[in-house]
Amino acid sequence: MAYINENFIKIPATYLFSEIAKRVTQHKSENPSAEIIRMGIGDVTLPLPHASIDAIKNAAEEQRQAETFRGYGPEQGYDFLRNMIVENDFKARGLTIEADEIFVSDGAKSDTGNIGDIFGLQNRVAITDPSYPVYVDTNAMAGRAGQPSASGQWTNLIYLPCNEANNFIPELPTEKADIIYLCYPNNPTGTTLTKEQLTKWVNYATENEAIILFDAAYEAYITEENVPHSIYEIDGADKVAIEFHSFSKTAGFTGTRCGYTVVPKSVTAFSENGEKISLNKLWLRRQTTKFNGTSYVVQRAAEATYSPEGKKQVRALIDYYMDNARIIREALHAIGLKVYGGVNAPYIWTKTPDGVSSWEYFDYLLKDKNIVCTPGAGFGPAGEGYVRFSAFGNKEQTIKAMERLK
Ligand code: MLT
């Protein structure tokens, strides 16, 4: 007889964005002529940078010829891409990260979900609330989250509420946390931490021998000074932090799939007998066993985003979405809603009017306005009473959606 992993019974039956997609499909089937504007999942709408398309074509041609054909590549990524990442994302900011500390992957979602493989189940995990659902769900699947409770919280997770009262800046935990997920610029609230605020977390991790899992998927959207693009800008972070990056939101790779994770060799955690073990080695072992590398063609496409023309094209994509963010922010503000984010992030976090619940407001927007947003409660209990709008849509549609809200 085969037994299932019981933890899967405890988690919600569907992933947040699958549930939203299900409701949208049903609404569309009941209202076939409805012109639905999607501002829910953070999926990009502009095509890939031309530099990446050219690189894909060239790489495909290479795959046509026996002399240039490539089979299995290095599981952790080709040097041509790892070196580009080191030069542009770290060295250019004065940060020392080595190529063998970069692990290229099929995206930050997989890596933030899979990273739990290298950590013991006894770790106490702290997460900001609200947060990207992958952090909670994957810890629940692994059996590290305890039991779900009526409040919507898991008994074994440490929740770090981010709300209006603390201006969406999480307080240090009062219970001892071993692993801390931080995502900045934040998904879903679009808020940020300054260097000083992030320094507190790095100091906490250092003092408590904890590890920070820092999701930097949205760093390219930072517009303000004093907001760190990488946690390694903070002294000591290279001993306590793993960082996740994505080409999805930066360069439109949501369907093409590429990201990378930084695991400095100086980051360690403990074995049960008290030995300090390098997490770089463990992640390398995990990836070489369970992952066969991102495709050669896609890595060439990612490499091209660092070429001079690629950089310009990526900048244009980001500017386009950030203009959408401005349009959304201003429109929601004009109709009297409380609005956060959208300045250093492509997400706008809005308080629902008259205290209606997140899902009620989601349903109202879908059914009455044909607008899809994401209910804040889907990101955790502290997200109740909020919804998130994504700025990744087409501009005309974004303007139209905001007109409908007026
Ligand atoms: C989101 O909408 O929060 C993200 O796009 C989902 C993801 O990146 O997986």
Side-chain angles (χ1 to χ4, degrees):
M1 194 183 340
Y3 294 95
I4 61 154
N5 174 349
E6 292 282 323
N7 296 316
F8 277 70
I9 299 179
K10 300 182 200 164
I11 58 175
T14 42
Y15 179 58
L16 172 63
F17 293 104
S18 314
E19 174 62 29
I20 291 170
K22 203 170 85 189
R23 292 191 190 207
V24 174
T25 305
Q26 184 176 344
H27 176 65
K28 183 77 187 162
S29 72
E30 288 162 6
N31 304 275
S33 62
E35 195 209 324
I36 297 174
I37 301 180
R38 293 167 198 271
M39 306 176 82
I41 191 166
D43 193 5
V44 295
T45 48
L46 292 176
L48 288 181
H50 287 186
S52 295
I53 297 294
D54 292 341
I56 288 172
K57 285 185 182 166
N58 291 338
E61 279 306 321
E62 287 181 71
Q63 295 297 73
R64 193 203 290 275
Q65 316 288 339
E67 301 74 42
T68 49
F69 169 78
R70 310 222 187 185
Y72 289 129
E75 292 90 345
Q76 58 275 42
Y78 283 101
D79 280 345
F80 62 76
L81 178 55
R82 296 167 100 195
N83 290 334
M84 275 292 189
I85 291 169
V86 166
E87 287 298 318
N88 290 279
D89 292 351
F90 298 99
K91 217 169 170 185
R93 296 203 170 104
L95 305 175
T96 308
I97 294 290
E98 309 286 338
D100 62 358
E101 297 175 319
I102 306 284
F103 294 81
V104 175
S105 71
D106 67 346
K109 180 180 186 177
S110 320
D111 285 356
T112 52
N114 292 333
I115 197 76
D117 277 9
I118 65 170
F119 291 105
L121 291 185
Q122 68 275 52
N123 285 297
R124 290 297 307 281
V125 173
I127 49 146
T128 53
D129 178 18
S131 72
Y132 182 39
V134 170
Y135 313 150
V136 172
D137 287 2
T138 56
N139 276 290
M141 286 173 181
R144 214 179 274 113
Q147 306 297 325
S149 69
S151 68
Q153 297 196 341
W154 289 78
T155 52
N156 212 28
L157 294 181
I158 300 169
Y159 286 81
L160 309 167
C162 297
N163 48 39
E164 279 181 289
N166 59 20
N167 210 15
F168 299 93
I169 309 299
E171 310 266 347
L172 294 174
T174 46
E175 296 171 80
K176 194 173 168 320
D178 306 304
I179 296 174
I180 302 150
Y181 287 81
L182 295 177
C183 171
Y184 287 97
N186 186 253
N187 179 13
T189 64
T191 56
T192 51
L193 293 185
T194 61
K195 285 199 176 139
E196 293 70 31
Q197 287 159 344
L198 188 55
T199 300
K200 282 192 196 161
W201 286 95
V202 171
N203 292 345
Y204 175 92
T206 307
E207 282 154 23
N208 291 279
E209 298 182 316
I211 296 291
I212 297 175
L213 301 177
F214 192 76
D215 188 347
Y218 299 93
E219 66 81 15
Y221 288 83
I222 293 171
T223 60
E224 293 181 324
E225 293 288 320
N226 204 29
V227 176
H229 287 255
S230 164
I231 194 167
Y232 303 118
E233 291 175 41
I234 311 297
D235 279 348
D238 59 344
K239 296 195 177 55
V240 297
I242 291 176
E243 182 166 280
F244 304 92
H245 285 254
S246 168
F247 291 93
S248 289
K249 318 297 163 144
T250 313
F253 276 54
T254 51
T256 307
R257 309 304 309 148
C258 195
Y260 68 88
T261 289
V262 189
V263 191
K265 292 191 284 282
S266 42
V267 178
T268 55
F270 293 90
S271 68
E272 274 182 3
N273 62 15
E275 199 186 334
K276 273 190 178 180
I277 309 280
S278 157
L279 295 185
N280 180 288
K281 271 194 193 157
L282 298 195
W283 187 242
L284 179 65
R285 186 69 176 84
R286 191 266 172 214
Q287 290 298 81
T288 48
T289 304
K290 291 195 178 181
F291 183 58
N292 245 341
T294 307
S295 82
Y296 171 67
V297 173
V298 167
Q299 290 192 59
R300 282 293 186 200
E303 178 196 25
T305 64
Y306 294 108
S307 66
E309 66 280 14
K311 281 183 185 169
K312 267 193 231 144
Q313 292 158 7
V314 164
R315 189 70 254 162
L317 298 181
I318 293 169
D319 289 348
Y320 179 95
Y321 295 132
M322 285 310 279
D323 198 42
N324 284 350
R326 178 192 57 78
I327 292 166
I328 299 167
R329 240 178 342 109
E330 288 176 2
L332 296 177
H333 190 70
I335 59 171
L337 296 180
K338 281 197 173 169
V339 185
Y340 305 91
V343 175
N344 295 294
Y347 295 128
I348 294 87
W349 187 245
T350 308
K351 201 151 194 201
T352 60
D354 308 320
V356 301
S357 79
S358 299
W359 278 107
E360 274 172 322
Y361 196 56
F362 167 88
D363 282 333
Y364 160 75
L365 288 182
L366 178 61
K367 291 179 182 154
D368 283 45
K369 305 285 180 191
N370 288 309
I371 296 171
V372 183
C373 66
T374 306
F379 295 102
E384 181 54 276
Y386 291 87
V387 294
R388 189 195 76 177
F389 290 91
S390 152
F392 286 117
N394 154 289
K395 186 159 321 295
E396 288 66 43
Q397 295 241 307
T398 301
I399 293 169
K400 202 184 249 185
M402 293 302 109
E403 290 291 326
R404 286 186 196 168
L405 286 184
K406 278 184 199 160

